[in-house]
């Protein structure tokens, strides 16, 4: 197979050994599959750490007062939480569950931002008891709820207000959030954001320190960030004055899934965002606030490779051929949900030329359970090891037990060592929450 065009999609440590096997983090993936079974998610530690460092470097070299927080929704596990802490990043959580992962590994609470459009009273209480750094308030209901919870706990909580700038980032409709019709954030356009600022500003138990927006994901263009910054700074200069100490510009930084669609580099995103931020602050003669950046996908997507074993195949009239693998929409729902594109390769036969176009189907009872519609492979056979690169983000994080299937194991690889960080589920795991008879 032609590996060259796939290199930007594979982890940084990807190699082919003399047997034609894909090697990740110094580990032969065929051996990993024997040792841990399939489906298996392999996370390359070096790629994740490199992405964390790139974000820090590219933003901080342009604007030293930048906080990078990892968006846990892309993928969270205890090993991941601890890696993020070691890399000195903060974290964005959207549930008490994500918070629990971070707290378990001793993550510094003041580096945690709590997001979400419907945080429960219990989640807010947990957040405040742990003393998270920021709660990002999404709506008027939450403003009142948080005020009550903070009063009960005798705490003054620093908050950002999530505003809706009314900018379309041209992502898939299901992952667009910056427009005024979105369920997230308080619109600037009709005066609601101004009212929220007044309300938060006069609160006894909330300390308003800035604003936040998130436009959508993935955003393959830098222009929407710039437009949203222009709108938000104009609003902040007028409505917040000196309380405007911090601006969160969300995540949405794209990852590369297929050779034809390379994303902007991290430095291109950083350049565009910091430039717009400084320029707008100059225009309004206000100090440049701290910048908060929330990458999720861009940290983990490329680090992850999903490994499956090829099983059944069939030909349909018209010449199309299906091959089926032992995972699918239960561990990666993105193709079924968003029409997301991936490539596939045969991790045990990388030196053989791709001769056939096949559709890679999952094993779940649903016609839409397809992982790759048009994979170009050396004629696949049952027992082959099929790899899907760029599978680290929003796959395991969105995994389900549909068809009472078992969610896969996860290994982190580094310098020839493979570390099991999540074991494969068992039938016992499936049954343990059932109450019977
Ligand atoms: N910050 C906020 C407030 C967010 O809502 C999100 C993602 C992020 C940061 C991180 O965005 P990222 O850098 O990962 O693009 N399930 C979809 C993606 C949903 C993103 C939701 N919010 C997918 O698989 O494409």
């Amino acid at each position: 197979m032609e590996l060259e065009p796939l290199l930007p999609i594979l982890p940084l440590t990807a190699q082919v050994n003399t047997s034609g096997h894909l090697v990740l983090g110094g580990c032969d993936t065929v051996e990993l599959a024997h040792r841990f079974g399939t489906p298996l998610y392999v996370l390359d530690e070096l790629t994740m750490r490199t992405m964390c460092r790139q974000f820090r470097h590219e933003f901080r070299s342009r604007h030293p007062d930048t906080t990078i927080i990892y968006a846990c929704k892309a993928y969270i596990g205890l090993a991941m939480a601890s890696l993020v802490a070691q890399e000195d990043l903060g974290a964005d959580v959207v549930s008490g569950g994500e918070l629990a992962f971070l707290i378990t590994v001793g993550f510094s609470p003041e580096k945690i931002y709590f997001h979400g459009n419907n945080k429960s009273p219990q989640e807010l209480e947990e957040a405040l008891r742990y003393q998270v750094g920021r709660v990002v308030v999404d709506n008027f209901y939450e403003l009142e709820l948080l005020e009550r919870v903070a009063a009960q706990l005798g705490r003054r909580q620093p908050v950002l207000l999530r505003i809706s700038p009314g900018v379309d980032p041209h992502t898939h409709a299901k992952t667009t959030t910056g427009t005024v019709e979105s369920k997230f954030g308080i619109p600037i356009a009709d005066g609601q954001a101004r009212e929220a600022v007044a309300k938060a500003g006069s609160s006894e138990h909330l300390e308003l320190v800035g604003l936040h927006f998130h436009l959508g994901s993935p955003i393959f263009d830098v222009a929407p960030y710039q437009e949203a910054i222009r709108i938000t700074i104009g609003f902040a200069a007028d409505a917040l004055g000196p309380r405007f100490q911090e601006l969160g510009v969300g995540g949405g930084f794209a990852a590369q899934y297929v050779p034809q669609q390379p994303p902007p580099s991290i430095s291109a995103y950083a350049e565009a965002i910091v430039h717009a931020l400084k320029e707008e602050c100059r225009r309004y003669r206000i100090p440049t606030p701290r910048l908060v950046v929330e990458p999720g996908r861009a940290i983990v997507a490329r680090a992850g490779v999903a490994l499956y074993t090829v099983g059944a195949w069939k030909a349909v009239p018209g010449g199309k051929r299906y091959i089926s693998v032992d995972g699918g929409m239960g561990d990666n729902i993105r193709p079924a949900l968003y029409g997301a594109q991936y490539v596939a390769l045969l991790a045990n036969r990388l030196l053989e030329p791709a001769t056939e176009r096949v559709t890679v189907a999952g094993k779940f009872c649903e016609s839409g359970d397809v992982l790759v519609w048009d994979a170009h492979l050396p004629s696949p056979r049952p027992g082959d090891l099929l790899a899907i690169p760029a599978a680290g983000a929003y796959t395991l994080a969105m995994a389900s037990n549909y068809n009472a299937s078992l969610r896969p194991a996860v290994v982190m690889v580094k310098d020839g060592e493979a570390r099991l960080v999540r074991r494969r589920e068992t039938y016992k795991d499936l049954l343990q929450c059932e109450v019977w008879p």
Side-chain angles (χ1 to χ4, degrees):
M1 298 184 66
E2 257 277 49
L3 212 59
E4 194 66 26
L6 298 180
L7 286 180
I9 307 177
L10 283 161
L12 294 169
T13 61
Q15 287 176 327
V16 189
N17 66 17
T18 48
S19 315
H21 296 175
L22 177 64
V23 175
L24 301 172
C27 300
D28 183 328
T29 53
V30 175
E31 282 170 24
L32 292 178
H34 282 146
R35 184 166 156 209
F36 298 104
T38 57
L40 180 69
Y41 275 73
V42 182
L43 297 175
D44 180 49
E45 217 176 297
L46 182 79
T47 306
M48 293 188 285
R49 290 189 188 276
T50 304
M51 294 314 297
C52 291
R53 288 168 201 177
Q54 257 191 39
F55 268 96
R56 274 206 336 247
H57 172 73
E58 296 298 347
F59 278 90
R60 288 199 187 153
S61 61
R62 293 170 170 90
H63 183 42
D65 193 10
T66 300
T67 300
I68 309 287
I69 60 178
Y70 170 66
C72 295
K73 69 204 81 171
Y75 167 71
I76 193 65
L78 295 180
M80 184 65 195
S82 135
L83 183 149
V84 172
Q86 283 164 15
E87 290 302 324
D88 202 22
L89 262 52
D92 142 4
V93 300
V94 289
S95 69
E98 287 180 350
L99 185 57
F101 274 88
L102 297 180
I103 296 299
T104 301
V105 302
F107 206 95
S108 306
E110 72 275 7
K111 292 166 84 176
I112 299 176
Y113 283 59
F114 204 122
H115 283 279
N117 68 307
N118 192 23
K119 306 170 188 77
S120 70
Q122 189 190 330
E123 284 174 323
L124 289 174
E125 200 182 310
E126 285 163 15
L128 266 56
R129 281 195 195 281
Y130 287 126
Q131 308 200 351
V132 301
R134 302 278 183 272
V135 172
V136 183
V137 176
D138 194 275
N139 50 60
F140 287 97
Y141 165 79
E142 189 185 334
L143 257 183
E144 284 170 19
L145 179 60
L146 183 62
E147 169 78 25
R148 278 204 303 277
V149 175
Q152 271 161 22
L153 297 177
R155 197 169 138 71
R156 189 165 153 79
Q157 174 63 42
V159 299
L160 299 181
L161 277 184
R162 176 163 180 172
I163 51 90
S164 167
V167 172
D168 186 352
H170 305 294
T171 60
H172 189 284
K174 289 194 177 114
T175 56
T176 289
T177 51
T179 57
V180 285
E181 310 84 51
S182 162
K183 74 167 181 173
F184 295 103
I186 306 172
I188 291 183
D190 62 357
Q192 290 191 57
R194 185 174 291 271
E195 199 187 321
V197 166
K199 219 167 175 168
S202 63
S203 153
E204 209 184 309
H205 296 281
L206 308 182
E207 183 193 356
L208 178 62
V209 295
L211 301 176
H212 170 273
F213 63 76
H214 170 77
L215 301 175
S217 169
I219 307 172
F220 278 85
D221 184 8
V222 299
Y225 291 98
Q226 296 185 297
E227 193 187 342
I229 288 170
R230 266 194 296 279
I231 294 168
T232 309
I233 301 282
F235 169 74
D238 185 35
L240 269 86
R243 276 171 307 188
F244 185 51
Q245 297 158 31
E246 202 168 292
L247 175 66
V249 298
F253 311 101
Q256 186 159 0
Y257 289 97
V258 291
Q260 313 81 276
Q261 203 184 15
S265 63
I266 310 303
S267 76
Y269 283 119
E271 183 62 31
I273 288 171
V274 172
H275 184 261
L277 179 68
K278 288 185 175 167
E279 192 174 78
E280 292 309 307
C281 289
R282 219 174 294 127
R283 182 196 314 273
Y284 291 97
R285 297 196 169 80
I286 58 171
T288 313
R290 169 177 307 125
L291 175 64
V292 184
V293 181
E294 305 170 351
R297 183 192 314 270
I299 304 278
V300 279
R302 182 178 180 183
V305 175
L307 298 176
Y308 303 97
T309 301
V310 175
W313 60 272
K314 77 175 272 191
V316 291
K320 183 163 142 174
R321 198 157 92 96
Y322 279 101
I323 57 165
S324 293
V325 295
D326 52 359
M329 67 191 293
D331 59 270
N332 184 356
I333 201 173
R334 301 191 68 258
L337 193 57
Y338 314 118
Q341 305 277 325
Y342 287 89
V343 292
L345 36 97
L346 290 187
N348 59 329
R349 295 165 58 195
L350 282 180
L351 298 177
E352 295 179 37
T355 50
E356 216 182 311
R357 296 207 171 266
V358 296
T359 295
V360 180
K363 66 169 290 174
F364 292 81
C365 280
E366 202 156 309
S367 295
D369 177 29
V370 164
L371 287 171
V372 186
W373 283 273
D374 188 25
H376 201 198
L377 297 171
S379 191
R381 300 185 286 257
D384 276 338
L385 186 64
L386 186 130
I388 296 200
Y394 301 107
T395 48
L396 295 165
M398 298 173 81
S400 77
N401 291 114
Y402 182 43
N403 293 164
S405 61
L406 305 174
R407 281 180 289 180
V410 187
V411 292
M412 279 197 189
V413 291
K414 182 177 170 247
D415 300 333
E417 302 269 326
R419 177 164 58 112
L420 184 67
V421 296
R422 185 179 162 92
R423 66 159 172 79
R424 184 175 308 286
E425 289 179 354
T426 62
Y427 294 144
K428 198 167 162 208
D429 293 324
L430 284 185
L431 296 170
Q432 72 179 358
C433 299
E434 294 295 312
V435 180
W436 184 85

